[in-house]
Amino acid sequence: MDIRIRHAHPHEYDRIGEITAQAYLGDGLLDFGESDEYLGELRDVAKRATAAEVLVAVDHDHDHVLGAVTFVPRGGPMADIARPGEAEIRMLAVARESRGRGAGETLVRACVDRARATADCVRVVLSTQRTMHAAHRIYERLGFTRTPDRDWNPLPDLGDITLLTYELTL
């Protein structure tokens, strides 16, 4: 399958939000299922598109959305862990029926390419859950390394939900 990466179009935001929500729900990544507060964030593509780049992987022949990622070139409200000089990758998700075709890796590569083209960007960072093993393999295959000193808990009041962090020095 030929995969192309481009910016998401507003008419695709609902589809992208649903792909992202279903990926997280289907993989058991939300502690509270459908009632998880973060689910709303995952579905709100329009909000993140105002503060970052939402990229989609599409089937080259049919322009069908296979997956999406949020690329944060520098700081702002969509950055969780990025420091000055760092770009951040967030909310990588591929539709269940499109997995195994390279869409996730292609999206991550596109983020790295964008980071390299961003002035003064020296590193790409990201957070991931412990159980996102397929994503970990992609990151490691592309040269990302674990940064345990940056691991963090986004919801300390709810217990140990420590997110693992990775970085790629450009």
Side-chain angles (χ1 to χ4, degrees), residues 79-127:
D80 278 335
I81 63 168
R83 298 173 181 156
E86 296 178 336
E88 188 166 345
I89 296 173
R90 299 215 35 221
M91 300 176 188
L92 174 66
V94 175
R96 184 162 300 284
E97 67 275 8
S98 300
R99 291 182 179 181
R101 300 178 186 175
E105 183 170 332
T106 304
L107 284 162
V108 175
R109 284 182 186 277
C111 291
V112 171
D113 290 344
R114 278 173 165 68
R116 285 191 172 113
T118 300
D120 302 320
C121 185
V122 297
R123 189 173 300 107
V124 180
V125 297
L126 61 89
S127 301

Side-chain angles (χ1 to χ4, degrees), residues 39-61:
L39 192 58
E41 292 293 315
L42 296 173
R43 286 188 167 125
D44 195 350
V45 178
K47 177 183 173 187
R48 58 184 187 262
T50 63
E53 294 181 45
V54 178
L55 305 174
V56 291
V58 296
D59 175 303
H60 190 7
D61 296 330

Side-chain angles (χ1 to χ4, degrees), residues 114-165:
R114 278 173 165 68
R116 285 191 172 113
T118 300
D120 302 320
C121 185
V122 297
R123 189 173 300 107
V124 180
V125 297
L126 61 89
S127 301
T128 181
Q129 293 187 19
R130 292 182 189 280
T131 58
M132 293 178 163
H133 302 295
H136 300 170
R137 285 190 296 275
I138 290 171
Y139 306 141
E140 291 164 6
R141 189 167 47 247
L142 295 179
F144 283 79
T145 56
R146 279 275 294 117
T147 51
D149 57 309
R150 291 180 77 168
D151 291 355
W152 64 291
N153 184 344
L155 302 167
D157 294 343
L158 298 178
D160 185 19
I161 309 171
T162 300
L163 298 178
L164 307 181
T165 58

